[in-house]
Amino acid sequence: MLGVLRGAFGRALSPVARLLLRLGLSPSAVTILGTLGVVGSALALFPGGHWVMGTVLVGVFLLCDGLDGTMARESGRQSRFGAFLDSTMDRLADGAVFVAIAWGCAISGDRVGAGLAAAVLVLGFVVSYARARADVEGWDASAGVVERTDRLVVSLAGVLAFGLGMPVWVLWVSLGVVALGSAVTVLQRVSAAHRASAME
């Protein structure tokens, strides 16, 4: 859903990317540092009910997810290993964010929120796995209404709104929309893979 904004976002990050390259940081270092920041912020703050601060810090560190790719393009250091590392670190960051949200909800007695966050976690991993497994088979299964950026932005928007005093059902709705969209995306990718396999 938000894929159309990626090009503009990448161009906006170019000055920051060039600055970090001049300071001697590599794209892979930024990938790892950003992931550590996301994991640490989410696990340290969401379980304690610090929803606003957690969302702000996680959001800041998630910017590194765009920075590393922009840095690689600016420096000509794009590589297959860099793409592998970025994808692997994405899974770690996503897992930490949604585990932390589920944990925070469970501690506060919100079973609905905890269950929805767990559903988003599982379905998000299936979305990513379906595409990766299709790529191995040589099939294009990249279609889908909800991708990683969508899952994070919509979910964290609900977390932030809840932290700012909105009713808990706002959080439920945001997580529910992401879970439903992720389930639809899984079906879309399975269908795309099935069509591709039938053409062989």
Side-chain angles (χ1 to χ4, degrees):
M1 290 187 296
L2 299 175
V4 294
L5 301 176
R6 287 179 181 169
F9 182 65
R11 289 190 294 273
L13 289 177
S14 292
V16 180
R18 288 193 288 268
L19 173 61
L20 293 177
L21 287 168
R22 286 197 295 270
L23 292 174
L25 286 173
S26 69
S28 293
V30 171
T31 298
I32 293 171
L33 289 172
T35 300
L36 292 175
V38 171
V39 171
S41 299
L43 294 177
L45 295 170
F46 287 153
H50 304 293
W51 304 109
V52 174
M53 182 59 69
T55 301
V56 170
L57 288 180
V58 167
V60 169
F61 284 113
L62 281 173
L63 290 176
C64 294
D65 185 54
L67 269 175
D68 55 6
T70 303
M71 290 173 66
R73 288 189 293 273
E74 291 281 343
S75 63
R77 298 184 194 175
Q78 291 173 291
S79 66
R80 293 170 62 190
F81 176 76
F84 164 81
L85 179 66
D86 183 58
S87 180
T88 301
M89 293 297 99
D90 284 350
R91 304 289 80 75
L92 181 59
D94 292 359
V97 168
F98 290 106
V99 164
I101 293 173
W103 187 2
C105 289
I107 289 174
S108 66
D110 178 11
R111 295 183 179 181
V112 174
L116 288 170
V120 171
L121 172 65
V122 173
L123 289 166
F125 277 107
V126 177
V127 166
S128 300
Y129 178 80
R131 178 174 181 174
R133 191 68 182 90
D135 286 345
V136 170
E137 299 296 338
W139 305 328
D140 180 10
S142 58
V145 294
V146 173
E147 298 183 1
R148 179 180 185 247
T149 303
D150 306 312
R151 291 194 299 272
L152 289 168
V153 169
V154 176
S155 298
L156 290 174
V159 171
L160 180 61
F162 175 60
L164 290 172
M166 295 292 286
V168 70
W169 60 260
V170 174
L171 174 61
W172 297 348
V173 169
S174 68
L175 293 173
V177 167
V178 173
L180 179 60
S182 298
V184 171
T185 301
V186 170
L187 293 176
Q188 288 177 306
R189 294 189 172 180
V190 170
S191 177
H194 182 263
R195 288 194 302 272
S197 68
M199 296 174 63
E200 294 181 340

